[in-house]
């Protein structure tokens, strides 16, 4: 499947004013931002609260980045909500996370419609409670016709799991004679991933300071720009997203080639 090639989304008037204040132009923005939302537990623990208070508080940050993303005209926002490894956590915390997710999906549905956001999910459905899946399906169906930002929630997601599952589906198609092995290339394989059809993230943000990927989007981030902030997820707001975008705009992406300046100057052969 081909990566989406729809025209860039429009920055709203309010978004333009914010970009002006940050000295940015819409064309300098990343089109797809992915976020590892980390530090909820620490946020709560620093205040003497149980960890779940941090998760609840983190919802406000999700609202803030969705709102900012829509204002700026981001095409895709992919949020890491629960990894396949997170099931190692205490059952009480996991039950709370499932309830929170369900609540978010039902309560935010109207807001997502208002914001013209299309909701999708990546990750393994097996292992997630039926009530959560039903809420996901309802919100995904309701927002399917929306033409604004795609909000992709990674739930029960693991990069290696996603790749292994894709390899399994591809192997089945080869076995069934649907795919000739000689046709297997990066584009064909990407079509078997949960993110089939989506462009790769331009910018990956991780909050709470850890310098690791924690099994997020392993295939898709091969040339993504990384941005790590010590800010804990519950404290993250639109201004932090704008700071990340500002730093992103100052980077030179080369994808293994040479900087545009070197090409313009003409590089010696050999
Ligand atoms: C991220 O916050 C949310 C999830 C992984 C569900 P954490 O819960 O990992 O917070 P810390 O890293 O323990 O502070
Ligand atoms: C990554 O955070 C997963 C999510 C944000 C959903 P973790 O807190 O699980 O990552 P590690 O364990 O610090 O690597
Ligand atoms: Mg963590």
């Amino acid at each position: 499947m081909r990566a989406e090639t729809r025209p860039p989304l429009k920055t709203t008037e309010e978004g333009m004013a914010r970009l002006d204040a940050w000295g940015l132009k819409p064309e300098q923005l990343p089109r797809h931002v992915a976020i590892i939302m980390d530090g909820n537990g620490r946020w709560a623990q620093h205040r003497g609260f149980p960890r779940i208070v941090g998760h609840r508080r983190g919802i406000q940050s999700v609202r803030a980045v969705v709102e900012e993303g829509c204002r700026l005209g981001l095409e895709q926002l992919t949020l890491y909500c629960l990894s396949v490894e997170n099931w190692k956590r205490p059952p009480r915390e996991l039950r709370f996370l499932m309830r929170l997710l369900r609540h978010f999906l039902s309560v935010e549905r109207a807001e997502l419609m208002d914001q013209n956001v299309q909701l999708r999910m990546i990750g393994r459905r097996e292992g997630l409670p039926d009530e959560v899946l039903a809420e996901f399906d309802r919100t995904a169906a309701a927002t399917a016709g929306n033409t604004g930002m795609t909000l992709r929630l990674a739930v029960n997601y693991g990069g290696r799991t996603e790749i292994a599952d894709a390899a399994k589906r591809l192997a089945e198609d080869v076995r069934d004679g649907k795919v000739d092995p000689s046709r297997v290339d990066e584009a064909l394989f990407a079509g078997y991933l949960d993110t089939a059809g989506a462009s790769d993230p331009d910018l990956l943000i991780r909050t709470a300071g850890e310098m690791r990927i924690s099994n997020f989007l392993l295939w898709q981030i091969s040339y993504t720009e990384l941005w790590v902030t010590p800010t804990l997820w519950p404290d993250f707001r639109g201004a932090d997203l704008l700071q990340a975008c500002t730093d992103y705009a100052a980077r030179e992406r080369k994808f293994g080639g040479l900087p545009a300046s070197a090409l313009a100057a003409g590089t010696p052969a050999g």
Side-chain angles (χ1 to χ4, degrees):
M1 203 185 284
R2 286 273 180 82
E4 280 171 29
T5 49
R6 60 178 179 175
L9 295 176
K10 280 230 159 49
T11 306
T12 65
E13 233 170 80
E14 215 183 335
M16 284 306 285
R18 288 171 79 74
L19 287 182
D20 278 348
W22 284 78
L24 282 172
K25 295 196 166 50
E27 58 273 20
Q28 292 177 296
L29 290 173
R31 294 168 75 140
H32 181 176
V33 175
I35 308 183
I36 302 174
M37 309 183 288
D38 197 17
N40 292 352
R42 275 164 278 178
W43 186 93
Q45 278 160 346
H46 291 169
R47 289 162 176 79
F49 298 137
R51 296 173 50 82
I52 55 172
V53 176
H55 295 315
R56 191 188 296 128
R57 187 68 181 222
I59 295 288
Q60 293 183 15
S61 309
V62 172
R63 281 198 197 106
V65 293
V66 169
E67 202 180 317
E68 194 68 67
C70 291
R71 272 202 288 257
L72 296 177
L74 296 188
E75 283 162 43
Q76 302 180 63
L77 180 65
T78 302
L79 304 179
Y80 203 4
C81 304
L82 190 84
S83 73
V84 289
E85 286 81 15
N86 286 147
W87 295 106
K88 295 172 191 161
R89 296 187 178 203
R92 185 168 173 264
E93 180 172 344
L94 290 163
R95 274 199 304 274
F96 184 83
L97 283 169
M98 289 302 124
R99 269 213 309 277
L100 196 62
L101 192 56
R102 202 175 143 195
H103 183 75
F104 174 83
L105 289 165
S106 61
V107 167
E108 296 300 307
R109 196 173 298 136
E111 189 63 29
L112 296 175
M113 291 305 291
D114 272 358
Q115 296 178 115
N116 195 20
V117 167
Q118 199 181 103
L119 182 104
R120 294 192 192 168
M121 185 198 138
I122 56 171
R124 266 196 176 160
R125 289 175 68 93
E126 308 87 74
L128 288 172
D130 289 343
E131 315 84 72
V132 171
L133 290 173
E135 216 60 75
F136 247 118
D137 292 343
R138 241 173 255 142
T139 308
T143 62
N146 288 348
T147 53
M149 186 175 79
T150 298
L151 173 63
R152 191 178 293 100
L153 302 185
V155 183
N156 195 18
Y157 176 87
R160 285 188 171 185
T161 306
E162 181 191 30
I163 292 169
D165 287 350
K168 187 171 162 210
R169 284 194 293 270
L170 173 57
E172 286 164 356
D173 282 355
V174 169
R175 181 198 61 200
D176 298 345
K178 293 184 193 152
V179 174
D180 185 317
S182 66
R183 278 183 49 225
V184 177
D185 59 11
E186 291 179 17
L188 185 135
F189 189 78
Y192 282 85
L193 296 169
D194 292 359
T195 51
S199 63
D200 290 340
D202 299 297
L203 173 65
L204 172 63
I205 295 173
R206 182 168 187 144
T207 60
E210 312 296 350
M211 296 288 180
R212 56 177 173 257
I213 299 299
S214 301
N215 205 9
F216 193 36
L217 300 175
L218 297 181
W219 171 280
Q220 297 86 345
I221 57 167
S222 59
Y223 271 101
T224 298
E225 296 295 326
L226 308 180
W227 192 83
V228 178
T229 174
T231 300
L232 304 176
W233 178 249
D235 290 326
F236 196 93
R237 288 293 177 271
D240 299 286
L241 180 62
L242 275 157
Q243 182 61 61
C245 290
T246 304
D247 292 351
Y248 168 86
R251 307 247 185 114
E252 185 161 32
R253 302 183 74 187
K254 293 182 287 182
F255 299 97
L258 293 177
S261 51
L263 289 173
T267 46

